Amino acid sequence: MKKLTQETEIVHGVHSDHVTSFDLVPPIHMTSTFKFKDADHGADLFSGKSTGYIYTRIGNPTVDLLEKKIAVLEGGESAVATASGMAAVAAAALTLTAPGDNFVACSTLYGGTFALFSSDLARLNIHARFVSHRRSGSLKEIEEKIDGDTRFLYIETPANPTLDIIDIPLWADTARRHDIPLIVDNTFASPYLQRPLAMGADLVLHSATKYLGGHGDLIGGLIVGSKRMIGQIRESHMNHFGPVMSPFNAWLILRGLKTLALRMDRHSDTALMIAERLLSHPRVAAVFYPGLASHPGHSLARRQMKKFGGMIAFEVHGGVVAGKAVMNGVTLCTLAVSLGDCETLIQHPASMTHAVYSPSERKLAGISDGLIRLSVGLEHPDDILGDLRQALDRVP
Ligand code: LCS
């Protein structure tokens, strides 16, 4: 059959050989363990002589379906599902490193990832070396930080919360020159807008909590890459540390994924319109959205993304005090962390998602104290804009 478009793959996805029912929608296999036909069958499954399900921490048909589907959508050979996005970041980092190793990461990251990298992994004698891509000569800086104990490079693009666009091919070429993998957190874009593996990345990971699930009703993570690397993560980290995804959450993500293309188109189109309108509001000091021609990463975003996504960051004249007034003044937008939901969410990175950064670390990462982050939802664009305008107009 002719190769399907990504929009069709998003709806249809993959079919598991192990699911034999005629249901249009696959059932949820809520079981912790699986029956063996006899003792030899059980032993053969354990030894790898036969393939099949043993125990849900090791594999489950519903979770399998989701793993196969995200692998198709990201264009990877294989995938593994995790209990959360943080579990995906930790699984990838811990599988690739041992005490004494280091890795090089772009410094603008989700606050939880930054905390894991800068404190928790450091306790295990695994050290993050941060690079600010905002400084000119960042390529030289990456090169200078790589040595014989560097095990991977790590970026997030668009980056949380500044919406900075990081150059995937540039980091991928650097990784290849040093024979180490590049990991890309593709949470903000989703595979519908950006496919990092096609641009040279080796592992792509997601907080599936966000656009992949799309409905704000679950926590989950996914990692996609080569059979070899995913096999290593599955066997060493997932089976033994055990941060696996519940079959119920996998089913919810499979359901959410079917509308990914529709949702991402709508999120992106509305966000572009709102970013443009915010730009001309007298109370707004700056708008950061990769779809704006004024964004420093605009031409790069045009090269590596299909559209520019649903996340906007902006600053209000009057700094933190004025920003708080906007967040307290909205009535339709919801004051909450997380992103990628149907509802528009608004939050303050410096005191919320990125409070773990010290003030100087935030400065290096480009996260100003007055920055407000908006996850543009699926409401009518005029209603979202109207709500933001009335809150901005009332700033004292
Ligand atoms: N990567 C990115 C880019 C994220 O934004 C998040 C969570 C994670 C990884 C971790 O995923 P989780 O474990 O939450 O599924 N970002 C959040 C945020 O910006 N607000 O609340 C959570």
Side-chain angles (χ1 to χ4, degrees):
M1 197 165 91
K2 180 172 156 277
K3 168 110 180 76
L4 298 172
T5 62
Q6 200 191 19
E7 282 91 331
T8 305
E9 280 177 344
I10 280 170
V11 176
H12 283 261
V14 291
H15 299 283
S16 166
D17 301 338
H18 305 279
V19 177
T20 51
S21 74
F22 290 93
D23 305 9
L24 175 66
V25 173
I28 316 175
H29 290 261
M30 288 303 283
T31 181
S32 39
T33 198
F34 298 85
K35 294 179 201 165
F36 303 138
K37 286 181 215 147
D38 54 35
D40 283 343
H41 178 224
D44 288 349
L45 287 171
F46 268 92
S47 70
K49 227 195 236 172
S50 308
T51 54
Y53 296 101
I54 296 174
Y55 184 67
T56 281
R57 175 161 43 73
I58 300 168
N60 173 283
T62 314
V63 179
D64 241 24
L65 268 185
L66 173 62
E67 291 170 342
K68 289 196 174 113
K69 183 151 184 171
I70 193 69
V72 168
L73 298 185
E74 285 287 5
E77 280 176 6
S78 186
V80 61
T82 58
S84 66
M86 284 313 305
V89 180
L94 286 169
T95 302
L96 293 173
T97 51
D101 289 344
N102 69 70
F103 58 97
V104 178
C106 185
S107 60
T108 312
L109 296 167
Y110 165 57
T113 303
F114 182 75
L116 171 75
F117 285 0
S118 55
S119 5
D120 305 290
L121 292 182
R123 274 195 294 118
L124 304 177
N125 196 21
I126 298 162
H127 297 280
R129 297 176 173 179
F130 293 107
V131 172
S132 166
H133 77 286
R134 289 185 166 213
R135 280 206 283 259
S136 60
S138 64
L139 176 59
K140 193 163 155 271
E141 212 189 321
I142 307 168
E143 293 277 2
E144 279 166 7
K145 294 215 156 122
I146 297 174
D147 64 20
D149 295 324
T150 305
R151 295 291 169 251
F152 64 88
L153 305 185
Y154 190 100
I155 59 173
E156 210 179 272
T157 184
N160 188 353
T162 58
L163 280 306
D164 284 5
I165 303 295
I166 316 300
D167 192 328
I168 299 174
L170 180 133
W171 281 73
D173 287 348
T174 312
R176 199 169 307 116
R177 266 200 308 283
H178 292 272
D179 204 19
I180 49 177
L182 170 66
I183 305 177
V184 178
D185 184 331
N186 201 26
T187 299
F188 270 36
S190 89
Y192 178 63
L193 298 182
Q194 175 173 279
R195 306 225 300 171
L197 296 177
M199 287 179 261
D202 299 281
L203 283 179
V204 169
L205 57 85
H206 283 278
S207 166
T209 316
K210 313 292 166 20
Y211 290 107
L212 302 185
H215 294 75
D217 49 12
L218 62 98
I219 298 281
L222 289 159
I223 316 173
V224 190
S226 67
K227 263 197 185 113
R228 185 185 61 80
M229 288 179 86
I230 296 297
Q232 220 182 329
I233 294 170
R234 195 188 288 285
E235 274 144 44
S236 112
H237 190 91
M238 300 307 295
N239 286 356
H240 300 149
F241 288 87
V244 295
M245 180 183 283
S246 151
F248 183 57
N249 282 3
W251 186 88
L252 282 174
I253 298 167
L254 281 165
R255 182 166 77 154
L257 266 177
K258 289 188 189 184
T259 54
L260 182 71
L262 294 175
R263 288 186 287 106
M264 294 315 291
D265 277 335
R266 172 74 174 225
H267 285 302
S268 301
D269 296 347
T270 308
L272 179 60
M273 182 278 241
I274 289 177
E276 281 168 349
R277 301 293 165 83
L278 282 179
L279 208 51
S280 59
H281 194 284
R283 295 278 157 80
V284 174
V287 182
F288 305 97
Y289 182 68
L292 294 174
S294 58
H295 189 284
H298 179 63
S299 58
L300 179 56
R302 287 183 84 97
R303 287 203 297 278
Q304 61 188 34
M305 298 176 77
K306 192 188 279 178
K307 289 189 178 184
F308 306 103
M311 300 299 295
I312 300 176
F314 64 101
E315 282 172 26
V316 184
H317 289 298
V320 179
V321 175
K324 277 195 177 156
V326 173
M327 287 183 284
N328 289 331
V330 289
T331 56
L332 176 71
C333 303
T334 303
L335 183 53
V337 296
S338 202
L339 58 112
D341 295 342
C342 300
E343 296 82 359
T344 296
L345 305 178
I346 191 165
Q347 67 107 12
H348 178 226
S351 68
M352 297 174 189
T353 49
H354 293 72
V356 291
Y357 279 71
S358 70
S360 64
E361 288 165 344
R362 271 203 295 278
K363 199 155 176 236
L364 181 72
I367 307 165
S368 65
D369 285 347
L371 199 72
I372 297 174
R373 194 189 74 183
L374 192 70
S375 169
V376 174
L378 300 179
E379 303 93 339
H380 194 285
D382 292 347
D383 293 328
I384 305 171
L385 193 62
D387 188 36
L388 289 167
R389 275 194 176 137
Q390 65 76 26
L392 283 164
D393 290 345
R394 287 191 294 124
V395 172

